[in-house]
Amino acid sequence: MKEGEKKPQPSSLIKQMATGAIVQATELIALGHAADRIKTHMQANPLLHRNFVAAGTSMYRAGGWAALYTGFRWNIVSVCGKGAFRWGGVSVLSQFYSNWLPFHPAGEPTFVGLSVALAETTLLLTPA
């Protein structure tokens, strides 16, 4: 380690990962999952529903809240895992680039974002 370099704190990383999971879960619970279900329902029956509200109303009448949140358990596990990985990765890689690059590039946020996106798609979304 270089002189004056900060050592990553495990508790800080865990907090970042927990924050990512909570933020992603909140978005999914609030409207993300239901909106995606309605969108999928509209795509499956394009002639039946003219707009988003009509499709959502139709689904709700047919099955209540359960119809809007079918598949929620798998989705929440997936989204929380990705959120934790993404937020933790941003924290770790941001610190890595700040400490190990000989210069402080203006595009550091871009490097961090692309690195996390590459790692996420390689390790989480399409594992070999």
Side-chain angles (χ1 to χ4, degrees), residues 50-120:
R50 292 185 183 157
N51 60 42
F52 189 81
V53 174
T57 304
S58 168
M59 287 180 71
Y60 184 77
R61 286 184 184 152
W65 288 105
L68 295 173
Y69 282 91
T70 299
F72 180 76
R73 280 180 280 182
W74 165 249
N75 207 0
I76 192 86
V77 170
S78 172
V79 163
C80 285
K82 288 190 290 186
F85 185 86
R86 188 177 302 134
W87 283 50
V90 166
S91 176
V92 168
L93 287 174
S94 180
Q95 194 169 25
F96 172 79
Y97 285 135
S98 294
N99 292 334
W100 291 94
L101 289 179
F103 56 93
H104 192 71
E108 183 181 327
T110 303
F111 293 143
V112 170
L114 290 174
S115 300
V116 171
L118 179 64
E120 182 181 333

Side-chain angles (χ1 to χ4, degrees), residues 85 116-127:
F85 185 86
V116 171
L118 179 64
E120 182 181 333
T121 55
T122 304
L123 300 174
L124 291 179
L125 301 179
T126 55

Side-chain angles (χ1 to χ4, degrees), residues 9-19:
Q9 298 298 317
S11 63
S12 175
L13 178 60
I14 291 169
K15 287 177 188 175
Q16 289 290 326
M17 294 177 78
T19 301

